[in-house]
Amino acid sequence: NCEACHESVSSRSRLHWNATFEVTTPETKIVDVKPYNHMGIPDGRLIHRFDPSKSILLERIRRNGLERMPPLGSTEIDEQAVNLIQRWITEDLSKPQSFTDWVRVYFRAVTDPDSIASLDSDGDNISNFLEFLTQTDPTDPDDFYKMKIDRHEKTVQIHVATISNTYSEIQWTATPGDHQSWKTLEVPENTHFYPASSSLRTIDVSKINLGSAFFRVRLREL
């Protein structure tokens, strides 16, 4: 709904933020950006990184009247959309946005020798940088990114967490020792995308004849 008017160059809106699907979160120009109308909310931002109550976009979609967005087509509040954006702010957007910020959360200082990206601080065989990408605790050896495979008679399902602003792709091979043999698992649920919020994704591989197969997750930061 937002993209029709808010696509960065449109003259249909006073504020040229970008709601198109293709752009990254920083390119939207909505996070911590001052609005032209703060709607009486002190320190309001289009999206406030840490506080939904100070997020003008959220306030716009949960109001009726002249200040409502989108302005046409409905007078019914979309509670699912409101809850989704509120969760995005409180559960995902407020999380550390850079490796340095993330280090400040878990270590004594950015100069702490245990915080080096290539190190495995908690001995779980996962580097600090991978723990940063997967939003796990680098000081807890029991907290690490996991893939779960359920097999019941003729049904085989892979359960894997999707992480906000991180591309995750399931790959498979019959020969894990051959690094060139890993291939993308060609199923619709394994579509290339960067989710706005974290969730659990289930991929059914029952109908694919892979034979004996090994699986892994490829992660890439937005």
Side-chain angles (χ1 to χ4, degrees), residues 63-132:
R63 284 193 186 187
N64 266 322
L66 295 176
E67 295 180 318
R68 171 178 168 77
M69 287 292 169
L72 302 173
S74 174
T75 57
E76 183 176 342
I77 305 301
D78 187 340
E79 296 294 344
Q80 285 188 322
V82 170
N83 291 336
L84 178 64
I85 293 178
Q86 187 158 333
R87 283 179 49 218
W88 175 53
I89 297 170
T90 58
E91 298 178 16
D92 296 302
L93 193 60
S94 60
K95 291 180 179 177
Q97 299 297 300
S98 70
F99 182 75
T100 301
D101 289 338
W102 179 84
V103 165
R104 289 192 178 102
V105 172
Y106 290 103
F107 296 92
R108 293 184 296 273
V110 294
T111 55
D112 189 328
D114 288 336
S115 71
I116 296 173
S118 59
L119 291 184
D120 171 18
S121 298
D122 54 8
D124 58 5
N125 295 317
I126 307 295
S127 71
N128 288 337
F129 188 74
L130 186 54
E131 299 236 34
F132 158 67

Side-chain angles (χ1 to χ4, degrees), residues 19-51:
T20 54
F21 179 77
E22 297 84 2
V23 299
T24 64
T25 299
E27 289 171 340
T28 61
K29 301 187 185 304
I30 61 172
V31 179
D32 290 333
V33 174
K34 291 183 179 180
Y36 80 91
N37 177 5
H38 58 72
M39 300 175 66
I41 299 175
D43 195 33
R45 297 291 187 270
L46 288 178
I47 290 291
H48 195 291
R49 184 179 296 278
F50 303 105
D51 192 346

Side-chain angles (χ1 to χ4, degrees), residues 2 34 47 88 95 97 125 142 150 175-176 178 180 200 202 204 221:
C2 301
K34 291 183 179 180
I47 290 291
W88 175 53
K95 291 180 179 177
Q97 299 297 300
N125 295 317
D142 295 321
D150 285 335
T175 54
D178 180 2
Q180 302 299 319
L200 184 66
T202 298
D204 191 336
E221 187 183 14

Side-chain angles (χ1 to χ4, degrees), residues 122-178:
D122 54 8
D124 58 5
N125 295 317
I126 307 295
S127 71
N128 288 337
F129 188 74
L130 186 54
E131 299 236 34
F132 158 67
L133 283 183
T134 56
Q135 299 176 4
T136 53
D137 187 342
T139 65
D140 182 355
D142 295 321
D143 185 21
F144 54 88
Y145 189 80
K146 306 175 183 71
M147 175 194 294
K148 181 182 178 183
I149 300 178
D150 285 335
R151 185 171 184 174
H152 302 289
E153 296 181 354
K154 297 182 179 180
T155 302
V156 180
Q157 292 183 326
I158 298 174
H159 306 282
V160 63
T162 57
I163 304 164
S164 61
N165 300 319
T166 302
Y167 165 55
S168 59
E169 175 189 83
I170 308 298
Q171 298 182 335
W172 75 278
T173 183
T175 54
D178 180 2

